[in-house]
Amino acid sequence: RGEAGAGPGGGGGGGARRRLLGSTAACRMRVRRLVASHLTTATGSSALSPTSSSSLVGSLSLLTRAPTELSQPDAEGAIAMLERAALGGASIDGGAVVADNMVQSLARAQSSGAKGRMVRRLLGTLLYLGRQRVHSMVVSESPYCVKSPHSLLSVQML
């Protein structure tokens, strides 16, 4: 009379469930690293179009959705890809979501120097995206606001 998912001894399946969840997280991390490495090589030297930049930012937002699972090298790679997408014409909306996720991953950074470098790079990228948005605005336009789960950005032509 075992439960569904019960272990070999007929006891509860708690251990099996934990192993399954652990293997699922490990699988997500392996897939994330694989996709990130392919995105890094794909965006290496050629200029990105606005469409490609938008797709890259969309992929980055999915890859960084679980920021606690990102290692420091993965986070730095994601920041580099976000910088590359910004140069290609990505929108501030997607960039803000990725930056928000990346700030959440800073707890895993090994040193305060690494954290500071990553924050400076993220802020620089967001400022660049904000300037690009301002260039497309008219003087009478209301401020453009982007709300992310942990941040709020507002861009306005002065």
PDB file of all heavy atoms in Angstrom, residues 127-153:
ATOM      1  N   LEU A 127      21.879  53.525 -18.163  1.00  0.00           N
ATOM      2  CA  LEU A 127      21.987  54.932 -18.566  1.00  0.00           C
ATOM      3  C   LEU A 127      22.052  55.056 -20.087  1.00  0.00           C
ATOM      4  O   LEU A 127      21.422  55.940 -20.680  1.00  0.00           O
ATOM      5  CB  LEU A 127      23.219  55.583 -17.931  1.00  0.00           C
ATOM      6  CG  LEU A 127      23.109  55.890 -16.444  1.00  0.00           C
ATOM      7  CD1 LEU A 127      24.456  56.315 -15.889  1.00  0.00           C
ATOM      8  CD2 LEU A 127      22.053  56.951 -16.206  1.00  0.00           C
ATOM      9  N   TYR A 128      22.802  54.186 -20.725  1.00  0.00           N
ATOM     10  CA  TYR A 128      22.892  54.197 -22.191  1.00  0.00           C
ATOM     11  C   TYR A 128      21.514  53.940 -22.810  1.00  0.00           C
ATOM     12  O   TYR A 128      21.093  54.658 -23.723  1.00  0.00           O
ATOM     13  CB  TYR A 128      23.898  53.144 -22.661  1.00  0.00           C
ATOM     14  CG  TYR A 128      24.031  53.090 -24.156  1.00  0.00           C
ATOM     15  CD1 TYR A 128      24.869  53.987 -24.822  1.00  0.00           C
ATOM     16  CD2 TYR A 128      23.315  52.171 -24.911  1.00  0.00           C
ATOM     17  CE1 TYR A 128      24.982  53.958 -26.207  1.00  0.00           C
ATOM     18  CE2 TYR A 128      23.431  52.130 -26.290  1.00  0.00           C
ATOM     19  CZ  TYR A 128      24.263  53.022 -26.932  1.00  0.00           C
ATOM     20  OH  TYR A 128      24.364  52.993 -28.296  1.00  0.00           O
ATOM     21  N   LEU A 129      20.805  52.930 -22.294  1.00  0.00           N
ATOM     22  CA  LEU A 129      19.464  52.624 -22.819  1.00  0.00           C
ATOM     23  C   LEU A 129      18.508  53.787 -22.573  1.00  0.00           C
ATOM     24  O   LEU A 129      17.669  54.102 -23.421  1.00  0.00           O
ATOM     25  CB  LEU A 129      18.923  51.342 -22.179  1.00  0.00           C
ATOM     26  CG  LEU A 129      19.606  50.048 -22.599  1.00  0.00           C
ATOM     27  CD1 LEU A 129      19.142  48.895 -21.729  1.00  0.00           C
ATOM     28  CD2 LEU A 129      19.337  49.756 -24.071  1.00  0.00           C
ATOM     29  N   GLY A 130      18.635  54.452 -21.408  1.00  0.00           N
ATOM     30  CA  GLY A 130      17.799  55.610 -21.103  1.00  0.00           C
ATOM     31  C   GLY A 130      18.054  56.758 -22.064  1.00  0.00           C
ATOM     32  O   GLY A 130      17.120  57.406 -22.550  1.00  0.00           O
ATOM     33  N   ARG A 131      19.334  56.993 -22.369  1.00  0.00           N
ATOM     34  CA  ARG A 131      19.673  58.061 -23.330  1.00  0.00           C
ATOM     35  C   ARG A 131      19.107  57.754 -24.712  1.00  0.00           C
ATOM     36  O   ARG A 131      18.629  58.654 -25.406  1.00  0.00           O
ATOM     37  CB  ARG A 131      21.184  58.242 -23.403  1.00  0.00           C
ATOM     38  CG  ARG A 131      21.768  58.963 -22.240  1.00  0.00           C
ATOM     39  CD  ARG A 131      23.246  59.268 -22.463  1.00  0.00           C
ATOM     40  NE  ARG A 131      23.887  59.446 -21.184  1.00  0.00           N
ATOM     41  CZ  ARG A 131      24.744  58.586 -20.634  1.00  0.00           C
ATOM     42  NH1 ARG A 131      25.102  57.503 -21.270  1.00  0.00           N
ATOM     43  NH2 ARG A 131      25.268  58.827 -19.459  1.00  0.00           N
ATOM     44  N   GLN A 132      19.173  56.495 -25.099  1.00  0.00           N
ATOM     45  CA  GLN A 132      18.625  56.107 -26.400  1.00  0.00           C
ATOM     46  C   GLN A 132      17.117  56.351 -26.438  1.00  0.00           C
ATOM     47  O   GLN A 132      16.578  56.811 -27.444  1.00  0.00           O
ATOM     48  CB  GLN A 132      18.931  54.629 -26.706  1.00  0.00           C
ATOM     49  CG  GLN A 132      20.403  54.315 -26.834  1.00  0.00           C
ATOM     50  CD  GLN A 132      21.085  55.186 -27.867  1.00  0.00           C
ATOM     51  OE1 GLN A 132      20.620  55.358 -28.977  1.00  0.00           O
ATOM     52  NE2 GLN A 132      22.209  55.778 -27.470  1.00  0.00           N
ATOM     53  N   ARG A 133      16.438  56.072 -25.341  1.00  0.00           N
ATOM     54  CA  ARG A 133      14.993  56.296 -25.272  1.00  0.00           C
ATOM     55  C   ARG A 133      14.686  57.791 -25.333  1.00  0.00           C
ATOM     56  O   ARG A 133      13.765  58.229 -26.006  1.00  0.00           O
ATOM     57  CB  ARG A 133      14.438  55.673 -23.987  1.00  0.00           C
ATOM     58  CG  ARG A 133      12.961  55.891 -23.775  1.00  0.00           C
ATOM     59  CD  ARG A 133      12.138  55.135 -24.791  1.00  0.00           C
ATOM     60  NE  ARG A 133      10.740  55.182 -24.448  1.00  0.00           N
ATOM     61  CZ  ARG A 133       9.811  55.816 -25.186  1.00  0.00           C
ATOM     62  NH1 ARG A 133      10.147  56.411 -26.299  1.00  0.00           N
ATOM     63  NH2 ARG A 133       8.562  55.832 -24.810  1.00  0.00           N
ATOM     64  N   VAL A 134      15.488  58.600 -24.639  1.00  0.00           N
ATOM     65  CA  VAL A 134      15.275  60.056 -24.631  1.00  0.00           C
ATOM     66  C   VAL A 134      15.436  60.622 -26.040  1.00  0.00           C
ATOM     67  O   VAL A 134      14.692  61.527 -26.435  1.00  0.00           O
ATOM     68  CB  VAL A 134      16.241  60.742 -23.640  1.00  0.00           C
ATOM     69  CG1 VAL A 134      16.298  62.244 -23.865  1.00  0.00           C
ATOM     70  CG2 VAL A 134      15.805  60.442 -22.219  1.00  0.00           C
ATOM     71  N   HIS A 135      16.375  60.097 -26.811  1.00  0.00           N
ATOM     72  CA  HIS A 135      16.585  60.600 -28.174  1.00  0.00           C
ATOM     73  C   HIS A 135      15.358  60.391 -29.062  1.00  0.00           C
ATOM     74  O   HIS A 135      15.185  61.105 -30.051  1.00  0.00           O
ATOM     75  CB  HIS A 135      17.803  59.935 -28.824  1.00  0.00           C
ATOM     76  CG  HIS A 135      19.099  60.410 -28.257  1.00  0.00           C
ATOM     77  ND1 HIS A 135      19.464  61.742 -28.189  1.00  0.00           N
ATOM     78  CD2 HIS A 135      20.120  59.727 -27.708  1.00  0.00           C
ATOM     79  CE1 HIS A 135      20.635  61.850 -27.637  1.00  0.00           C
ATOM     80  NE2 HIS A 135      21.068  60.651 -27.324  1.00  0.00           N
ATOM     81  N   SER A 136      14.501  59.441 -28.707  1.00  0.00           N
ATOM     82  CA  SER A 136      13.305  59.204 -29.517  1.00  0.00           C
ATOM     83  C   SER A 136      12.078  59.927 -28.964  1.00  0.00           C
ATOM     84  O   SER A 136      10.982  59.778 -29.488  1.00  0.00           O
ATOM     85  CB  SER A 136      13.021  57.704 -29.607  1.00  0.00           C
ATOM     86  OG  SER A 136      12.638  57.198 -28.343  1.00  0.00           O
ATOM     87  N   MET A 137      12.257  60.708 -27.905  1.00  0.00           N
ATOM     88  CA  MET A 137      11.132  61.401 -27.285  1.00  0.00           C
ATOM     89  C   MET A 137      11.002  62.824 -27.831  1.00  0.00           C
ATOM     90  O   MET A 137      11.956  63.377 -28.371  1.00  0.00           O
ATOM     91  CB  MET A 137      11.319  61.463 -25.755  1.00  0.00           C
ATOM     92  CG  MET A 137      11.334  60.113 -25.077  1.00  0.00           C
ATOM     93  SD  MET A 137      11.704  60.209 -23.310  1.00  0.00           S
ATOM     94  CE  MET A 137      10.072  60.552 -22.666  1.00  0.00           C
ATOM     95  N   VAL A 138       9.821  63.390 -27.648  1.00  0.00           N
ATOM     96  CA  VAL A 138       9.600  64.801 -27.952  1.00  0.00           C
ATOM     97  C   VAL A 138       9.520  65.560 -26.627  1.00  0.00           C
ATOM     98  O   VAL A 138       9.244  64.973 -25.580  1.00  0.00           O
ATOM     99  CB  VAL A 138       8.317  65.024 -28.793  1.00  0.00           C
ATOM    100  CG1 VAL A 138       8.450  64.390 -30.158  1.00  0.00           C
ATOM    101  CG2 VAL A 138       7.104  64.482 -28.069  1.00  0.00           C
ATOM    102  N   VAL A 139       9.748  66.873 -26.675  1.00  0.00           N
ATOM    103  CA  VAL A 139       9.831  67.676 -25.453  1.00  0.00           C
ATOM    104  C   VAL A 139       8.551  67.589 -24.624  1.00  0.00           C
ATOM    105  O   VAL A 139       8.599  67.521 -23.397  1.00  0.00           O
ATOM    106  CB  VAL A 139      10.164  69.145 -25.809  1.00  0.00           C
ATOM    107  CG1 VAL A 139      10.171  70.011 -24.572  1.00  0.00           C
ATOM    108  CG2 VAL A 139      11.495  69.221 -26.535  1.00  0.00           C
ATOM    109  N   SER A 140       7.417  67.566 -25.259  1.00  0.00           N
ATOM    110  CA  SER A 140       6.149  67.578 -24.525  1.00  0.00           C
ATOM    111  C   SER A 140       5.732  66.195 -24.009  1.00  0.00           C
ATOM    112  O   SER A 140       4.718  66.073 -23.329  1.00  0.00           O
ATOM    113  CB  SER A 140       5.040  68.132 -25.422  1.00  0.00           C
ATOM    114  OG  SER A 140       4.880  67.305 -26.565  1.00  0.00           O
ATOM    115  N   GLU A 141       6.516  65.185 -24.293  1.00  0.00           N
ATOM    116  CA  GLU A 141       6.151  63.822 -23.894  1.00  0.00           C
ATOM    117  C   GLU A 141       6.304  63.629 -22.383  1.00  0.00           C
ATOM    118  O   GLU A 141       7.252  64.118 -21.767  1.00  0.00           O
ATOM    119  CB  GLU A 141       7.045  62.825 -24.633  1.00  0.00           C
ATOM    120  CG  GLU A 141       6.597  61.393 -24.528  1.00  0.00           C
ATOM    121  CD  GLU A 141       7.385  60.482 -25.462  1.00  0.00           C
ATOM    122  OE1 GLU A 141       8.030  60.980 -26.395  1.00  0.00           O
ATOM    123  OE2 GLU A 141       7.359  59.280 -25.238  1.00  0.00           O
ATOM    124  N   SER A 142       5.365  62.893 -21.794  1.00  0.00           N
ATOM    125  CA  SER A 142       5.427  62.575 -20.364  1.00  0.00           C
ATOM    126  C   SER A 142       6.602  61.641 -20.093  1.00  0.00           C
ATOM    127  O   SER A 142       7.086  60.957 -20.996  1.00  0.00           O
ATOM    128  CB  SER A 142       4.137  61.867 -19.928  1.00  0.00           C
ATOM    129  OG  SER A 142       3.036  62.718 -20.098  1.00  0.00           O
ATOM    130  N   PRO A 143       7.055  61.597 -18.839  1.00  0.00           N
ATOM    131  CA  PRO A 143       8.148  60.679 -18.514  1.00  0.00           C
ATOM    132  C   PRO A 143       7.778  59.240 -18.873  1.00  0.00           C
ATOM    133  O   PRO A 143       6.622  58.836 -18.751  1.00  0.00           O
ATOM    134  CB  PRO A 143       8.314  60.822 -17.006  1.00  0.00           C
ATOM    135  CG  PRO A 143       7.724  62.143 -16.670  1.00  0.00           C
ATOM    136  CD  PRO A 143       6.633  62.369 -17.678  1.00  0.00           C
ATOM    137  N   TYR A 144       8.761  58.491 -19.319  1.00  0.00           N
ATOM    138  CA  TYR A 144       8.577  57.078 -19.664  1.00  0.00           C
ATOM    139  C   TYR A 144       9.048  56.265 -18.471  1.00  0.00           C
ATOM    140  O   TYR A 144      10.203  56.383 -18.042  1.00  0.00           O
ATOM    141  CB  TYR A 144       9.379  56.741 -20.918  1.00  0.00           C
ATOM    142  CG  TYR A 144       9.162  55.335 -21.401  1.00  0.00           C
ATOM    143  CD1 TYR A 144       8.009  54.998 -22.094  1.00  0.00           C
ATOM    144  CD2 TYR A 144      10.096  54.351 -21.148  1.00  0.00           C
ATOM    145  CE1 TYR A 144       7.801  53.704 -22.532  1.00  0.00           C
ATOM    146  CE2 TYR A 144       9.900  53.056 -21.582  1.00  0.00           C
ATOM    147  CZ  TYR A 144       8.747  52.732 -22.269  1.00  0.00           C
ATOM    148  OH  TYR A 144       8.536  51.451 -22.695  1.00  0.00           O
ATOM    149  N   CYS A 145       8.168  55.461 -17.906  1.00  0.00           N
ATOM    150  CA  CYS A 145       8.488  54.691 -16.707  1.00  0.00           C
ATOM    151  C   CYS A 145       8.541  53.202 -17.025  1.00  0.00           C
ATOM    152  O   CYS A 145       7.708  52.688 -17.779  1.00  0.00           O
ATOM    153  CB  CYS A 145       7.451  54.926 -15.621  1.00  0.00           C
ATOM    154  SG  CYS A 145       7.445  56.620 -15.022  1.00  0.00           S
ATOM    155  N   VAL A 146       9.517  52.539 -16.443  1.00  0.00           N
ATOM    156  CA  VAL A 146       9.686  51.094 -16.585  1.00  0.00           C
ATOM    157  C   VAL A 146       9.694  50.526 -15.176  1.00  0.00           C
ATOM    158  O   VAL A 146      10.551  50.877 -14.367  1.00  0.00           O
ATOM    159  CB  VAL A 146      11.004  50.731 -17.297  1.00  0.00           C
ATOM    160  CG1 VAL A 146      11.165  49.235 -17.401  1.00  0.00           C
ATOM    161  CG2 VAL A 146      11.069  51.383 -18.657  1.00  0.00           C
ATOM    162  N   LYS A 147       8.736  49.642 -14.901  1.00  0.00           N
ATOM    163  CA  LYS A 147       8.648  49.048 -13.574  1.00  0.00           C
ATOM    164  C   LYS A 147       9.068  47.585 -13.666  1.00  0.00           C
ATOM    165  O   LYS A 147       8.537  46.826 -14.462  1.00  0.00           O
ATOM    166  CB  LYS A 147       7.231  49.154 -13.026  1.00  0.00           C
ATOM    167  CG  LYS A 147       7.124  48.702 -11.603  1.00  0.00           C
ATOM    168  CD  LYS A 147       5.763  48.951 -11.035  1.00  0.00           C
ATOM    169  CE  LYS A 147       5.755  48.518  -9.582  1.00  0.00           C
ATOM    170  NZ  LYS A 147       4.467  48.755  -8.962  1.00  0.00           N
ATOM    171  N   SER A 148      10.041  47.227 -12.847  1.00  0.00           N
ATOM    172  CA  SER A 148      10.506  45.849 -12.714  1.00  0.00           C
ATOM    173  C   SER A 148      10.132  45.381 -11.311  1.00  0.00           C
ATOM    174  O   SER A 148       9.745  46.196 -10.475  1.00  0.00           O
ATOM    175  CB  SER A 148      12.023  45.778 -12.905  1.00  0.00           C
ATOM    176  OG  SER A 148      12.367  46.192 -14.199  1.00  0.00           O
ATOM    177  N   PRO A 149      10.264  44.098 -11.035  1.00  0.00           N
ATOM    178  CA  PRO A 149       9.868  43.618  -9.703  1.00  0.00           C
ATOM    179  C   PRO A 149      10.549  44.336  -8.531  1.00  0.00           C
ATOM    180  O   PRO A 149       9.945  44.521  -7.492  1.00  0.00           O
ATOM    181  CB  PRO A 149      10.266  42.139  -9.730  1.00  0.00           C
ATOM    182  CG  PRO A 149      10.200  41.763 -11.171  1.00  0.00           C
ATOM    183  CD  PRO A 149      10.619  42.997 -11.924  1.00  0.00           C
ATOM    184  N   HIS A 150      11.802  44.780  -8.706  1.00  0.00           N
ATOM    185  CA  HIS A 150      12.521  45.405  -7.598  1.00  0.00           C
ATOM    186  C   HIS A 150      13.012  46.807  -7.913  1.00  0.00           C
ATOM    187  O   HIS A 150      13.813  47.362  -7.155  1.00  0.00           O
ATOM    188  CB  HIS A 150      13.715  44.525  -7.197  1.00  0.00           C
ATOM    189  CG  HIS A 150      13.322  43.155  -6.789  1.00  0.00           C
ATOM    190  ND1 HIS A 150      13.379  42.081  -7.646  1.00  0.00           N
ATOM    191  CD2 HIS A 150      12.826  42.682  -5.634  1.00  0.00           C
ATOM    192  CE1 HIS A 150      12.952  41.008  -7.032  1.00  0.00           C
ATOM    193  NE2 HIS A 150      12.610  41.337  -5.812  1.00  0.00           N
ATOM    194  N   SER A 151      12.582  47.382  -9.015  1.00  0.00           N
ATOM    195  CA  SER A 151      13.076  48.713  -9.366  1.00  0.00           C
ATOM    196  C   SER A 151      12.048  49.467 -10.213  1.00  0.00           C
ATOM    197  O   SER A 151      11.140  48.874 -10.785  1.00  0.00           O
ATOM    198  CB  SER A 151      14.397  48.603 -10.130  1.00  0.00           C
ATOM    199  OG  SER A 151      14.217  47.886 -11.316  1.00  0.00           O
ATOM    200  N   LEU A 152      12.235  50.763 -10.277  1.00  0.00           N
ATOM    201  CA  LEU A 152      11.411  51.639 -11.096  1.00  0.00           C
ATOM    202  C   LEU A 152      12.333  52.643 -11.769  1.00  0.00           C
ATOM    203  O   LEU A 152      13.098  53.329 -11.089  1.00  0.00           O
ATOM    204  CB  LEU A 152      10.369  52.361 -10.235  1.00  0.00           C
ATOM    205  CG  LEU A 152       9.498  53.396 -10.938  1.00  0.00           C
ATOM    206  CD1 LEU A 152       8.590  52.722 -11.952  1.00  0.00           C
ATOM    207  CD2 LEU A 152       8.690  54.178  -9.934  1.00  0.00           C
ATOM    208  N   LEU A 153      12.297  52.696 -13.075  1.00  0.00           N
ATOM    209  CA  LEU A 153      13.114  53.643 -13.842  1.00  0.00           C
ATOM    210  C   LEU A 153      12.189  54.635 -14.527  1.00  0.00           C
ATOM    211  O   LEU A 153      11.140  54.261 -15.041  1.00  0.00           O
ATOM    212  CB  LEU A 153      13.931  52.917 -14.894  1.00  0.00           C
ATOM    213  CG  LEU A 153      14.936  51.886 -14.409  1.00  0.00           C
ATOM    214  CD1 LEU A 153      15.529  51.137 -15.581  1.00  0.00           C
ATOM    215  CD2 LEU A 153      16.019  52.559 -13.608  1.00  0.00           C
TER     216      LEU A 153
END
